Amino acid sequence: MVNNLYVLIVEDHDFQRRTVVRMLHSLGIAEVMSASNGKQALALLRGTTRVDIVVCDLDMPEMDGLELMRHLGQEKHAVSVIITSAQERSLLVSVQNMAYAYGIRLLGVIEKPVTLKGLANLLARHEEPHKFQPVCVNDGEPVFSVEQILHGLQQSQFEPFFQPKMDLMSGRVVGAEALARWRHPEYGLIGPDKFIALLEQAEDIEGLTFMMLEKSAYACRMWRARGLELTVSVNLSFATLATPAFAEHITQVVRLAGLDPRHMILEITESMAMTEVAPALENLARLRMRGFGLSIDDYGTGFSSLQQLMRIPYTELKVDQSFVIDSALNPASRIIVESSIRMARQLGIKSVAEGVETQADWDTLRAMGCDFAQGYFAAQPMDERQFTEFLTSKEIILPP
């Protein structure tokens, strides 16, 4: 019961500290202690005082909340933590993952001002068994830790959703891009924005990569067995290519799934500066030798550059949707898209436009000579069953 808990408030702002203390008393918690910074809090925790839960601000003098959590983790204090902060959401997500990395039991994050309902909900979590449980910022959308994502991978909860790649001249489906989705047993379908970046930052993306390769290869094999001459595209992070044996591992996974590498395109996203260039180039050259197609993804953004086109044997160039979406009306976007398509043609590789959402986009790209298009104008990403039904529909041919 919450009224049996001993709670320590760590907050340098007097009014906010008193407010949280009053909230805790109103919830029936009689034993409430307070500290104005992490240094004072740590002295209490190192003493004989019992503390079950620490409600901690982040930005404080002398010792902030980040340093306090580092000490809690290193000294293995058996306490639960609730973070309160007015910092931006992206920073709070990063702090959450830092807390998990230190081995801290984090009950949740509350964006200031603290509410009675939010505080009560998080206090109640202390009584629950310690399990893989996403933290909710302000009782909003779930925010997952790397640990929870890896647990989902171990349970094979991730799967590819397929978005059709359409031939702009004929309007026919020629392939599909596999996009990772997480079927969470409690929260339903989770999009890639909740897990891709975290896995990349933790250098733990390979597990998801190989799961997507295997499931996508198997799906494509089944389509082709039904007489559907399609390719499937799977995303690779450039950072994963530093391992010398990576190309052999990919080839083995795809062949074991029954797909000829010639029917898979690997979309390379360079989301960070690459330091181990030589092994990455070796892997990409070997993958191309094995028959895989190579696509430069999100061309024109981030680290996707002319230098990449010079040093890697790409077979496809994907124009980023940020340029495509309004190319029919925006002259600057139109110039960028048109020049990218022309450059791809001159290099002897195929061009793909992402984010095609309107008939105007489709018509504009077709007039520019773009080869393929993806986007909601044709179809949204679908699971394997829905995509197979889409392929057998008589209405999948768009008007040229």
Side-chain angles (χ1 to χ4, degrees):
M1 299 293 292
V2 293
N3 55 358
N4 293 327
L5 295 176
Y6 288 66
V7 180
L8 171 62
I9 310 300
V10 191
E11 167 66 65
D12 65 310
H13 193 285
D14 289 339
F15 175 77
Q16 293 183 22
R17 186 171 61 250
R18 290 195 301 270
T19 299
V20 176
V21 168
R22 285 196 299 270
M23 287 182 180
L24 290 169
H25 284 313
S26 73
L27 291 170
I29 299 177
E31 298 296 331
V32 180
M33 297 152 281
S34 62
S36 60
N37 58 50
K39 188 175 181 180
Q40 292 179 10
L42 201 57
L44 285 169
L45 289 161
R46 286 170 174 169
T48 58
T49 307
R50 171 186 162 184
V51 177
D52 298 308
I53 299 174
V54 176
V55 181
C56 182
D57 187 21
L58 292 181
D59 189 8
M60 298 179 291
E62 291 193 69
M63 181 188 292
D64 61 21
L66 301 178
E67 185 177 352
L68 173 59
M69 282 190 282
R70 168 158 50 86
H71 287 294
L72 292 179
Q74 291 174 344
E75 298 175 17
K76 300 188 184 305
H77 289 278
V79 297
S80 298
V81 174
I82 295 172
I83 294 172
T84 65
S85 181
Q87 299 290 339
E88 61 187 44
R89 184 186 178 93
S90 61
L91 175 59
L92 296 180
V93 173
S94 179
V95 171
Q96 170 207 314
N97 286 290
M98 180 208 75
Y100 278 115
Y102 279 129
I104 292 170
R105 185 182 183 191
L106 185 63
L107 300 182
V109 180
I110 304 179
E111 291 179 353
K112 290 183 177 179
V114 176
T115 65
L116 184 64
K117 179 182 177 182
L119 189 59
N121 287 342
L122 295 185
L123 289 171
R125 288 189 177 186
H126 179 75
E127 302 299 321
E128 299 173 0
H130 189 24
K131 60 181 181 179
F132 295 98
Q133 182 178 12
V135 170
C136 294
V137 178
N138 249 18
D139 298 320
E141 295 182 356
V143 179
F144 300 94
S145 71
V146 172
E147 181 185 38
Q148 293 154 359
I149 297 167
L150 293 175
H151 178 70
L153 283 169
Q154 290 169 1
Q155 299 299 310
S156 198
Q157 295 169 357
F158 290 77
E159 64 182 84
F161 268 47
F162 300 100
Q163 184 168 44
K165 181 190 292 184
M166 313 291 290
D167 185 299
L168 275 157
M169 293 298 109
S170 67
R172 294 182 178 275
V173 180
V174 294
E177 179 181 358
L179 302 164
R181 297 292 186 268
W182 183 4
R183 285 199 188 274
H184 195 281
E186 182 178 355
Y187 290 89
L189 200 65
I190 305 296
D193 59 309
K194 295 291 190 296
F195 53 85
I196 294 288
L198 289 173
L199 289 174
E200 287 187 328
Q201 290 166 12
E203 298 182 354
D204 251 324
I205 194 70
E206 284 193 20
L208 177 63
T209 297
F210 284 109
M211 182 176 290
M212 291 292 291
L213 284 165
E214 182 180 6
K215 292 185 176 183
S216 301
Y218 179 80
C220 189
R221 188 195 83 182
M222 299 304 291
W223 303 331
R224 297 187 70 83
R226 299 179 60 175
L228 300 165
E229 299 296 317
L230 304 179
T231 61
V232 67
S233 300
V234 179
N235 290 278
L236 293 185
S237 171
F238 203 86
T240 61
L241 294 164
T243 305
F246 194 67
E248 293 296 343
H249 192 179
I250 289 176
T251 306
Q252 183 181 32
V253 167
V254 172
R255 285 178 173 163
L256 283 174
L259 186 68
D260 189 314
R262 293 177 301 163
H263 303 139
M264 178 174 282
I265 298 170
L266 302 172
E267 298 192 3
I268 315 302
T269 55
E270 192 172 3
S271 57
M272 58 190 74
M274 188 65 196
T275 55
E276 301 292 333
V277 175
L281 295 179
E282 179 185 344
N283 275 312
L284 290 169
R286 184 166 287 113
L287 287 166
R288 188 72 194 100
M289 287 171 57
R290 299 288 186 267
F292 289 95
L294 300 179
S295 176
I296 179 169
D297 197 16
D298 300 336
Y299 182 74
T301 65
F303 293 94
S304 299
S305 63
L306 290 170
Q307 185 183 39
Q308 270 214 62
L309 282 170
M310 290 175 59
R311 67 188 185 183
I312 296 171
Y314 287 112
T315 57
E316 181 182 273
L317 182 151
K318 296 194 78 171
V319 184
D320 187 70
Q321 62 181 348
S322 62
F323 302 118
V324 172
I325 286 174
D326 63 346
S327 60
L329 300 175
N330 186 321
S333 294
R334 183 188 179 97
I335 290 170
I336 292 170
V337 173
E338 197 165 18
S339 62
S340 299
I341 293 168
R342 184 169 58 250
M343 181 174 58
R345 189 184 308 115
Q346 291 171 343
L347 290 170
I349 63 179
K350 298 294 184 180
S351 55
V352 183
E354 296 183 289
V356 180
E357 297 188 352
T358 66
Q359 182 71 57
D361 291 338
W362 181 279
D363 293 341
T364 300
L365 290 161
R366 188 172 184 274
M368 290 179 182
C370 187
D371 295 302
F372 307 124
Q374 281 179 238
Y376 276 46
F377 179 66
Q380 64 183 9
M382 297 166 272
D383 64 26
E384 186 178 351
R385 179 188 59 79
Q386 293 168 330
F387 185 72
T388 301
E389 291 174 357
F390 176 82
L391 291 174
T392 56
S393 167
K394 295 180 180 178
E395 292 153 2
I396 62 172
I397 300 178
L398 296 177

